[in-house]
Amino acid sequence: MDRFEEGIDEAPTHPLGTGLSWQKQESPDLNQFPNSASLRYRGNEAPEKNAVPRETLYQNWMDELLQDENKSIKDLYCPMKTKRELRKKQERMIAKKTGWQSWKEDRQRSFRKFKSETSETLQYMEVWRSTLQSIEGHFGTGIESYFSFLRFLVLMNFVTFLLVGGFIVLPSIIFNELPPTSINATTATTDSTTGNISVCLNYNPNEQGLVVYYTFIIDILMGTGFMEFTYMFYGYYKNTSVNLVGFFYNIPLAYLITTVIYFLLSLVWMVIRSVNGFKQSLVTEDAAMSNYTNKVFAGWDFCMKDPKILRQKQTSILYELKIDLEEDKMRRIHAERTMSQRAGIYILRIVLNLLIMCLIGAAFYCIYLSTTTSQSLLQDKEIKGNFIRELLVGYLPSIVITAANVILPIVFNIIITFEKHTLNWQIRLTLIRSVFLRLASLGMLLYSLWDNITCSGNIEDSSCKTCGYNSSLYKCWETRIGQEMYKLMIFDFLTVLVVILLVDFPRKLMVDHCSCKLIQLWGQQEFLVPQFVLDIIYGQTVCWIGIFFCPLLSLLNTIKYFIIFYMKKLTLFTNCRPAERAFRSSSANFFFLLVLLLGLALSWVPVLYSIFV
């Protein structure tokens, strides 16, 4: 008892360094708790007459542990001495049992051991397991959640590629090598009255005669020319089926079924992950737990070991406490406002939201205009003869969408400060607006393509009358949609590399080697987890939209995220510092998975349209 009291008196201070420490205090309120009898028993007072002896309680506790057959002694949270006693008592109980009961328990014990060893082996086989542990140890669970989410997308894209490659691409390659007698192919035939079928089904995107030397580079970057005659795009796959002895395989049917399977697999995978994240968010976001006491006594992340990151964590927790105090102040101010003051704030918010809607509408118009202009200018011979101009025109929609996704969120952050919301609501509204902008911009791109392909829905138009779509501008409209998604993915990947190599690294060098006060005030780049997660969600949505029209897009997306993982890891350890505001991984992961589900739902629109229309 004396040693225990001495340990309490000499307890260390709290990691926050706020002077909090445990102290031995006498309180009359302790007598009101049920465990007051045990406190008196450990003190100088004698136990009550009806109190259960401690040895009896100990034996009853051990009997309860032994009754739980589904839990091994290894997994129990008790001292080694207690585990040895439990083991001996368990062996005595086994000796008294019959042969059938003993055999049954041995099988159950062997199965539990096999399950435990298999689980441990699978943990060692996890991709980037040690890397994620290192990131968590240096920067905490918030930043680690970004890399864990990125790993999840890498695995999901790789599984999708295995499905597409195994059931669509590989059979098509094999069937092309088979003799024509074993293949039933639907070929283009000419209508005797109109002769339109041959025009709609046959096209040659390769230029005839001599071409300039950079045509090969342009074809790779834009997915045109010889790339259209590869298994990358929808238009190259033939309407064929193989009927050998005891074997029948239909490529169009396999294409359709595989599409349904990988979409459903992605949906189920994300729903399972979302449910787990939702359970965690319910616990962490409970108002009874998210108070000052929880932040002070349970807010410390003991996984971290880097001294710089420890100081950053202290600053982050103090910053959260400051924000909570400011939010309480904002609530008091809001409660003290008069009716006229509240009306003025609501009117201001309505005006600012109308301004935001106008900005988003202007961005949509720019996307529509850039898409229409790009599609028409690509047919111009003067544009096609110039390397730079052809690339700029071809990537014009991608440039406009990326510019809108970069510039408008900055404007949203400025506008939100005038709406007089609490700080948490400021972050939530900014994220919601950014998510809407990113997903709606892709929807606007699809609408622009649809408007050009279908002649604004007027099938009787001269350009669409022959084939039912604008065949003069789009020889294969499915391939063209795949090309646009292909270019969006390429440009998004190049944007990430350019920002890391030409912005983050020079900024780090300037901060370390330049003593200018303005540059020092600018500081190192913060690792903004919400923004980076939205970036990869945007890229995954692009992949889902284009995978039906560009089957190998999942392979490209796997390679892209694999490279981004290591580039982000490099810039995290070299250039970045954690954000000042702590990132709650448990609650935000559910929100990001919900956004990913919205992106998956958006990707179904063009796929269902191409199947049923």
Side-chain angles (χ1 to χ4, degrees):
M1 182 65 185
D2 295 334
R3 294 180 59 189
F4 179 72
E5 292 179 355
E6 292 176 1
I8 294 179
D9 293 334
E10 299 174 0
T13 59
H14 191 271
L16 291 181
T18 55
L20 297 174
S21 61
W22 299 99
Q23 296 180 0
K24 179 185 175 183
Q25 295 180 354
E26 297 291 339
S27 175
D29 297 333
L30 290 176
N31 297 324
Q32 304 298 326
F33 290 97
N35 62 346
S36 60
S38 62
L39 290 173
R40 290 193 295 270
Y41 180 74
R42 292 196 299 268
N44 298 323
E45 299 180 15
E48 297 179 2
K49 295 182 180 180
N50 297 329
V52 181
R54 187 173 183 181
E55 290 77 8
T56 305
L57 293 173
Y58 182 71
Q59 292 297 328
N60 294 338
W61 175 67
M62 292 185 65
D63 293 338
E64 292 177 0
L65 292 178
L66 289 173
Q67 290 176 2
D68 190 0
E69 299 180 354
N70 296 324
K71 197 168 186 179
S72 62
I73 296 178
K74 178 182 177 182
D75 298 331
L76 296 177
Y77 297 99
C78 57
M80 288 299 299
K81 181 180 178 181
T82 305
K83 290 186 177 182
R84 293 190 185 98
E85 294 177 2
L86 287 172
R87 175 68 66 186
K88 293 179 181 179
K89 194 169 183 178
Q90 190 180 58
E91 291 175 354
R92 290 195 298 269
M93 293 174 61
I94 292 175
K96 297 179 181 179
K97 294 183 178 179
T98 63
W100 166 253
Q101 292 176 339
S102 179
W103 180 85
K104 182 179 178 181
E105 291 187 357
D106 287 341
R107 299 286 75 79
Q108 292 177 350
R109 194 179 302 108
S110 300
F111 177 74
R112 288 197 301 267
K113 183 178 180 181
F114 172 76
K115 184 178 178 181
S116 177
E117 292 178 351
T118 304
S119 177
E120 292 178 359
T121 304
L122 292 177
Q123 286 181 358
Y124 284 104
M125 294 175 62
E126 287 183 3
V127 182
W128 296 317
R129 178 172 176 267
S130 59
T131 301
L132 293 178
Q133 288 178 346
S134 175
I135 293 173
E136 182 179 0
H138 284 83
F139 300 96
T141 57
I143 293 179
E144 184 270 341
S145 65
Y146 164 77
F147 289 91
S148 178
F149 190 76
L150 189 56
R151 181 184 64 176
F152 163 70
L153 294 182
V154 169
L155 295 177
M156 186 168 60
N157 281 283
F158 183 69
V159 171
T160 302
F161 163 69
L162 292 180
L163 290 173
V164 173
F167 293 100
I168 299 177
V169 180
L170 189 60
S172 298
I173 295 174
I174 295 174
F175 295 164
N176 284 339
E177 301 300 327
L178 294 177
T181 56
S182 61
I183 300 177
N184 299 325
T186 302
T187 58
T189 58
T190 304
D191 194 335
S192 59
T193 57
T194 61
N196 291 338
I197 298 180
S198 178
V199 175
C200 298
L201 296 182
N202 292 330
Y203 77 102
N204 184 10
N206 287 327
E207 298 183 9
Q208 304 298 319
L210 296 176
V211 294
V212 292
Y213 65 93
Y214 53 75
T215 302
F216 182 78
I217 301 176
I218 289 181
D219 290 344
I220 293 177
L221 293 177
M222 299 184 62
T224 55
F226 80 93
M227 290 284 290
E228 297 185 44
F229 284 99
T230 62
Y231 293 98
M232 178 67 70
F233 293 105
Y234 177 95
Y236 186 70
Y237 292 87
K238 299 176 182 178
N239 186 9
T240 59
S241 61
V242 173
N243 192 2
L244 299 174
V245 179
F247 177 78
F248 177 79
Y249 200 91
N250 189 293
I251 291 294
L253 183 61
Y255 203 106
L256 180 62
I257 293 177
T258 304
T259 301
V260 174
I261 288 175
Y262 66 65
F263 272 130
L264 289 179
L265 179 63
S266 301
L267 177 62
V268 172
W269 202 343
M270 285 188 296
V271 167
I272 295 174
R273 194 178 175 96
S274 300
V275 169
N276 295 331
F278 182 67
K279 291 178 181 178
Q280 295 179 4
S281 65
L282 286 179
V283 175
T284 56
E285 292 299 321
D286 195 329
M289 299 180 65
S290 300
N291 51 20
Y292 304 108
T293 306
N294 182 58
K295 288 184 175 64
V296 173
F297 294 103
W300 189 255
D301 192 345
F302 290 93
C303 295
M304 300 181 299
K305 50 190 176 182
D306 191 330
K308 294 183 180 179
I309 307 303
L310 292 176
R311 289 193 294 270
Q312 181 69 32
K313 182 64 176 178
Q314 291 176 354
T315 306
S316 176
I317 296 178
L318 293 176
Y319 180 75
E320 281 199 359
L321 293 173
K322 179 182 177 182
I323 286 178
D324 290 339
L325 292 174
E326 290 180 356
E327 288 186 351
D328 290 340
K329 181 180 178 181
M330 290 289 292
R331 293 190 189 98
R332 289 196 301 270
I333 293 175
H334 179 74
E336 295 173 357
R337 286 173 183 158
T338 62
M339 186 64 67
S340 59
Q341 290 176 337
R342 293 182 181 180
I345 291 175
Y346 292 146
I347 292 174
L348 177 62
R349 290 176 181 175
I350 292 173
V351 172
L352 292 177
N353 278 278
L354 289 176
L355 176 61
I356 291 173
M357 292 176 62
C358 291
L359 291 174
I360 295 177
F364 290 168
Y365 177 74
C366 291
I367 293 172
Y368 177 82
L369 189 62
S370 63
T371 304
T372 305
T373 305
S374 173
Q375 303 300 308
S376 59
L377 288 179
L378 284 176
Q379 307 300 320
D380 193 342
K381 294 182 178 180
E382 295 183 359
I383 298 295
K384 293 184 73 66
N386 189 299
F387 178 75
I388 301 299
R389 293 175 66 183
E390 186 173 356
L391 277 181
L392 288 177
V393 170
Y395 277 88
L396 186 59
S398 303
I399 294 173
V400 173
I401 291 175
T402 303
N405 291 336
V406 171
I407 296 174
L408 286 186
I410 298 176
V411 178
F412 296 160
N413 285 327
I414 297 174
I415 293 178
I416 196 70
T417 57
F418 297 98
E419 296 186 43
K420 297 183 179 180
H421 290 290
T422 60
L423 295 178
N424 279 332
W425 268 106
Q426 290 181 14
I427 295 174
R428 292 171 184 170
L429 287 177
T430 304
L431 281 177
I432 291 172
R433 290 165 180 171
S434 300
V435 167
F436 175 76
L437 174 66
R438 289 173 183 270
L439 297 183
S441 61
L442 293 176
M444 191 64 198
L445 175 64
L446 293 174
Y447 171 78
S448 304
L449 292 172
W450 174 86
D451 188 67
N452 289 319
I453 292 170
T454 62
C455 302
S456 300
N458 184 15
I459 306 299
E460 299 299 326
D461 190 273
S462 58
S463 301
C464 297
K465 193 172 184 180
T466 304
C467 302
Y469 63 92
N470 193 346
S471 57
S472 61
L473 195 60
Y474 304 95
K475 297 299 182 182
C476 180
W477 66 269
E478 294 94 343
T479 297
R480 180 57 66 87
I481 294 179
Q483 288 171 346
E484 292 299 327
M485 298 301 112
Y486 174 83
K487 288 186 287 187
L488 272 176
M489 177 176 292
I490 295 293
F491 190 79
D492 183 58
F493 177 62
L494 293 177
T495 302
V496 173
L497 293 183
V498 168
V499 170
I500 292 176
L501 298 176
L502 301 182
V503 177
D504 292 345
F505 276 104
R507 179 175 177 177
K508 169 67 174 178
L509 293 175
M510 292 172 64
V511 171
D512 289 344
H513 302 285
C514 184
S515 59
C516 179
K517 292 184 178 180
L518 185 61
I519 294 178
Q520 294 299 322
L521 183 62
W522 188 24
Q524 288 181 250
Q525 170 69 31
E526 289 187 359
F527 198 89
L528 302 175
V529 175
Q531 177 182 336
F532 294 154
V533 171
L534 290 181
D535 290 340
I536 60 177
I537 290 176
Y538 164 79
Q540 184 61 42
T541 305
V542 170
C543 177
W544 277 329
I545 292 174
I547 194 172
F548 183 78
F549 310 101
C550 183
L552 293 181
L553 207 61
S554 57
L555 174 61
L556 297 181
N557 211 35
T558 303
I559 299 173
K560 168 190 168 184
Y561 284 155
F562 185 86
I563 297 174
I564 287 178
F565 184 94
Y566 284 101
M567 295 297 295
K568 288 293 185 181
K569 175 190 171 185
L570 177 63
T571 190
L572 172 64
F573 281 92
T574 308
N575 305 323
C576 293
R577 59 183 174 89
E580 291 184 355
R581 180 164 178 79
F583 174 71
R584 294 175 180 173
S585 58
S586 57
S587 58
N589 278 343
F590 172 73
F591 172 76
F592 291 135
L593 285 168
L594 181 62
V595 175
L596 196 61
L597 286 172
L598 293 177
L600 180 64
L602 175 64
S603 65
W604 290 345
V605 175
V607 175
L608 294 176
Y609 178 84
S610 62
I611 292 174
F612 294 106
V613 178

